[in-house]
Amino acid sequence: MRRLGPSTEGFYDQLLKSCNFLASLRQIHSSLTTSGLINQALHLGAKIIIKYTTYGEPNTARSLFNSIHNDKSNSFLWNTMIRAYANNGHCVETLELYSTMRRSGISSNSYTFPFVLKACASNSLILEGKVVHGDILRTGFLSDSYVQAALVDMYAKCGQTDDGCKVFDEMSVRDLVSWTVMITAYEQAEKPEEALILFQKTQQEGLLSDSVTIVSVASAIGQLGDVLKAQAVHGYAICNAFLEDLCTQNSIVAMYARCGNVEKARLVFDMMEKRDLISWNSMLSGYIQNGQASEALLLFDEMQNSDCKPNPVTALILVSACAYLGSRQLGRKFHGYIINSNMKIDATLRNAVMDMYAKCGDLDTAENMFNDIHPSERNVSSWNVLIAGYGMHGHGRKALEFFSQMLEEGVKPDHITFTSILSACSHAGLIDEGRKCFADMTKLSVKPEVKHYACMVDMLGRAGCLYEAFDMIKQMPLPPNDSVWGALLLACRIHGNTELGEIAANYLFQLEPEHTGYFVLMSNIYAASNKWREVGKLREDMKNKGLKKPAAFSVIEYGKDIQGFHTADRVNPYWKEVYKKVESMAVEIKMAGYVPDLSCALHDVEDEDREHMLYYHSEKLAVAFGIMNLTPEAVIQVTKNLRVCNDCHSAFRFISYIYQRKIIVRDANRFHHFEGGTCSCNDYW
């Protein structure tokens, strides 16, 4: 056997440094093995082990580790193999080798523990991580700064921020990496305030943050939705030249979008010299988050002309845009795009497409997609999509049957399942069934959350059980939020209960002082009770706060075109013809027994004017356009951004009967299917 001299060792060292291909590595390995030199210099064997795992050959690396006949009582080679496994995502193999190392009596050290902890962190293996923490305490390596940092990282990535914070507070030396790990831990645990407090402390200690820190800080600010803080961290990133980093630019775009400042997000996006897939997806997602689905679709057209190829995340965003718009045509178009692009359709994307079809009024296609999924591949989200779909279309009984089938097939419901089934019971007026589902939550190991109480309050309130709903709020084990009080206020509007309405409104004005809808609802309750002084006071409050009632807007698909109408629209190019059609329709449905509901118009004008104003509600204009332009057998489908009013609902029942047309209206809460003079909601909405 040849002895390895300094020049030979240096030669192989240089060969391994310049080795960039697996085939070359195999040749070097073969040469060292044939000559027997592989057992003489551990560091050369270690380098080959690292290279093999980097090239995706962990088994070959392990075989080499097992075959080296040198003294393995030395931890160096063990640490090398553990490091190779951990750095390449082989978590199970890392922990198995660590366990073998312990059983073999090989001493672990400060080079062992960080990589074993990294393996625990990457797979959120908190129990295994705590065992390693115990080993660290027993072997006396807790004071090592690298081990401490790895412990903080492990606890943080396993969601144990309190345990991570304890280790962090005991660290003798805390560098920027340690601070960043803890900041990121709080951000990922959705504790943005704590993350920003730590960031401020890094500034106080004179540490200059890097781009990695800024990415986490930007995400924390996005969670808070604080535009002023967003501008501050943007300025900090500019001053420290962090915006040269693409990840930082992407995080700034996402931050502004989550803070509701889409214009600023787009400005940063447009100024980027280079964009990757995350850049495009962040901006697309930002538009969806802020209700600007049309802008997202326009941006996607630009993306297709770029070098970035859409991925399943992009598809999820686009499907969400179609669902938001309620456009069946666009939904089918993008579903076809996903299929034709040979994109991998996983369970998440498939469920999103099903949900899109349900929200675009095509429940049949959603059902067919569900039935095409092999039972073993259906997850709880697949079931949730159809339960929610049945609910929003008013098929409460079918939603309950589907829920029962889900339980029979052994699928465990989650919190979303119960939100969907309770909402379905609420829309269909199935009070007893809803009460039973709510009572069954704890039996099925699902703890009721605030949103479930909001569903119950909505269900009881719609049914006229206002005081029972109020009692439930008072007995809630959790603080009621605006959704809970908002459900009660809406019920008070439906049933004209001013007393409870005032109680709900007072809470809402404190919780959401800038929410226009709650002021409008309470104003309508007062108006229905002829309390004009209170109406005037609320309108004055809104004016002083700069709040305006959101404008009603309805859209209808016409071939490949989409037509939109505002209330009393005089901008749409077809408004004159549509107005004439609406006026003639009003005459016809009156002759059939329709009586205008004047409570749905402004209360401070004459009755004749109020009736005339009802003609030009946005959804009526859209339906009139559909009757004028769509073939008699075509379904007229309208999407409205607000709740459809009582008068339009009544009018559409008569229109569907007189014109023998099927009309589908999706409002802010649900679907209404009008046909033959009736509605799928049975006038319970």
Side-chain angles (χ1 to χ4, degrees), residues 504-524:
N506 286 333
Y507 279 105
L508 288 165
F509 295 159
Q510 293 175 41
L511 290 167
E512 294 287 340
E514 305 298 317
H515 195 299
T516 310
Y518 298 138
F519 283 89
V520 173
L521 269 179
M522 193 62 228
S523 176
N524 290 341

Side-chain angles (χ1 to χ4, degrees), residues 253-371:
V253 169
M255 173 188 69
Y256 274 126
R258 292 192 70 179
C259 290
N261 195 333
V262 192
E263 293 77 14
K264 206 64 174 281
R266 184 60 191 262
L267 183 64
V268 175
F269 177 83
D270 287 340
M271 292 177 68
M272 293 170 68
E273 292 182 7
K274 183 182 178 183
R275 301 179 189 127
D276 61 7
L277 193 54
I278 295 173
S279 314
W280 288 95
N281 286 346
S282 296
M283 194 64 241
L284 287 166
S285 182
Y287 277 131
I288 299 299
Q289 290 165 12
N290 290 278
Q292 298 183 25
S294 298
E295 286 76 3
L297 297 177
L298 290 172
L299 182 63
F300 176 67
D301 289 339
E302 291 184 38
M303 182 183 183
Q304 289 183 294
N305 294 322
S306 74
D307 296 331
C308 281
K309 185 180 179 182
N311 68 351
V313 175
T314 319
L316 275 172
I317 297 167
L318 294 171
V319 164
S320 177
C322 295
Y324 179 86
L325 291 170
S327 172
R328 192 182 302 197
Q329 174 191 310
L330 283 173
R332 287 173 179 162
K333 175 185 172 183
F334 279 110
H335 188 194
Y337 171 83
I338 291 166
I339 294 169
N340 294 332
S341 62
N342 295 319
M343 195 177 290
K344 183 182 177 183
I345 302 178
D346 60 8
T348 303
L349 182 53
R350 184 177 57 234
N351 293 336
V353 173
M354 283 167 51
D355 182 61
M356 174 199 71
Y357 276 118
K359 288 177 177 172
C360 290
D362 192 353
L363 195 54
D364 290 341
T365 300
E367 286 179 320
N368 291 336
M369 284 188 67
F370 179 87
N371 292 330

Side-chain angles (χ1 to χ4, degrees), residues 51 94 129 179 181 244 260 268 272 305 311 319 325 494 535 557 559-561 569 576 646:
K51 286 273 188 182
T94 304
W179 282 96
V181 165
E244 295 174 8
V268 175
M272 293 170 68
N305 294 322
N311 68 351
V319 164
L325 291 170
I494 293 169
V535 171
E557 289 185 317
K560 293 185 178 180
D561 191 18
D569 198 325
K576 290 182 180 178
N646 290 343

Side-chain angles (χ1 to χ4, degrees), residues 305-611:
N305 294 322
S306 74
D307 296 331
C308 281
K309 185 180 179 182
N311 68 351
V313 175
T314 319
L316 275 172
I317 297 167
L318 294 171
V319 164
S320 177
C322 295
Y324 179 86
L325 291 170
S327 172
R328 192 182 302 197
Q329 174 191 310
L330 283 173
R332 287 173 179 162
K333 175 185 172 183
F334 279 110
H335 188 194
Y337 171 83
I338 291 166
I339 294 169
N340 294 332
S341 62
N342 295 319
M343 195 177 290
K344 183 182 177 183
I345 302 178
D346 60 8
T348 303
L349 182 53
R350 184 177 57 234
N351 293 336
V353 173
M354 283 167 51
D355 182 61
M356 174 199 71
Y357 276 118
K359 288 177 177 172
C360 290
D362 192 353
L363 195 54
D364 290 341
T365 300
E367 286 179 320
N368 291 336
M369 284 188 67
F370 179 87
N371 292 330
D372 288 341
I373 303 171
H374 191 276
S376 63
E377 295 180 5
R378 295 172 187 159
N379 58 22
V380 65
S381 297
S382 310
W383 293 86
N384 289 346
V385 165
L386 272 197
I387 291 171
Y390 289 135
M392 74 176 78
H393 284 269
H395 306 310
R397 293 283 179 196
K398 200 161 185 179
L400 285 166
E401 290 170 11
F402 203 67
F403 177 59
S404 298
Q405 184 185 339
M406 173 186 178
L407 297 178
E408 288 169 7
E409 294 194 16
V411 181
K412 187 179 178 182
D414 60 11
H415 63 103
I416 298 172
T417 314
F418 280 101
T419 304
S420 301
I421 197 65
L422 290 173
S423 179
C425 290
S426 177
H427 286 314
L430 302 172
I431 312 305
D432 292 336
E433 293 83 348
R435 287 192 182 107
K436 183 181 183 304
C437 288
F438 186 75
D440 285 345
M441 287 185 69
T442 49
K443 297 177 188 175
L444 293 165
S445 304
V446 180
K447 187 177 180 181
E449 300 175 19
V450 174
K451 61 184 178 182
H452 301 115
Y453 283 96
C455 288
M456 286 299 293
V457 170
D458 182 63
M459 182 184 71
L460 294 169
R462 286 177 190 273
C465 307
L466 295 173
Y467 287 95
E468 184 182 345
F470 185 45
D471 287 341
M472 174 170 269
I473 295 174
K474 290 189 287 186
Q475 294 168 20
M476 279 178 62
L478 302 162
N481 63 7
D482 64 305
S483 296
V484 176
W485 289 113
L488 183 62
L489 184 63
L490 177 60
C492 291
R493 166 72 177 95
I494 293 169
H495 297 286
N497 190 313
T498 306
E499 179 189 1
L500 282 183
E502 287 178 333
I503 294 171
N506 286 333
Y507 279 105
L508 288 165
F509 295 159
Q510 293 175 41
L511 290 167
E512 294 287 340
E514 305 298 317
H515 195 299
T516 310
Y518 298 138
F519 283 89
V520 173
L521 269 179
M522 193 62 228
S523 176
N524 290 341
I525 293 171
Y526 281 138
S529 302
N530 293 319
K531 294 189 174 183
W532 302 111
R533 182 180 296 177
E534 287 81 356
V535 171
K537 187 176 180 300
L538 278 179
R539 287 181 180 175
E540 189 64 28
D541 287 345
M542 288 177 66
K543 185 177 179 182
N544 293 336
K545 289 175 178 286
L547 303 178
K548 291 183 178 180
K549 181 179 177 180
F553 186 67
S554 297
V555 297
I556 180 171
E557 289 185 317
Y558 171 50
K560 293 185 178 180
D561 191 18
I562 295 177
Q563 288 294 324
F565 295 90
H566 288 282
T567 296
D569 198 325
R570 287 176 179 260
V571 176
N572 185 284
Y574 303 103
W575 74 269
K576 290 182 180 178
E577 299 97 309
V578 170
Y579 271 35
K580 289 178 182 177
K581 184 63 179 176
V582 164
E583 288 160 6
S584 69
M585 280 166 42
V587 173
E588 291 181 82
I589 60 177
K590 274 185 182 179
M591 292 173 64
Y594 157 76
V595 178
D597 186 345
L598 300 183
S599 68
C600 298
L602 291 172
H603 293 271
D604 48 3
V605 295
E606 296 295 326
D607 283 358
E608 186 177 341
D609 292 329
R610 287 162 70 186
E611 180 181 335

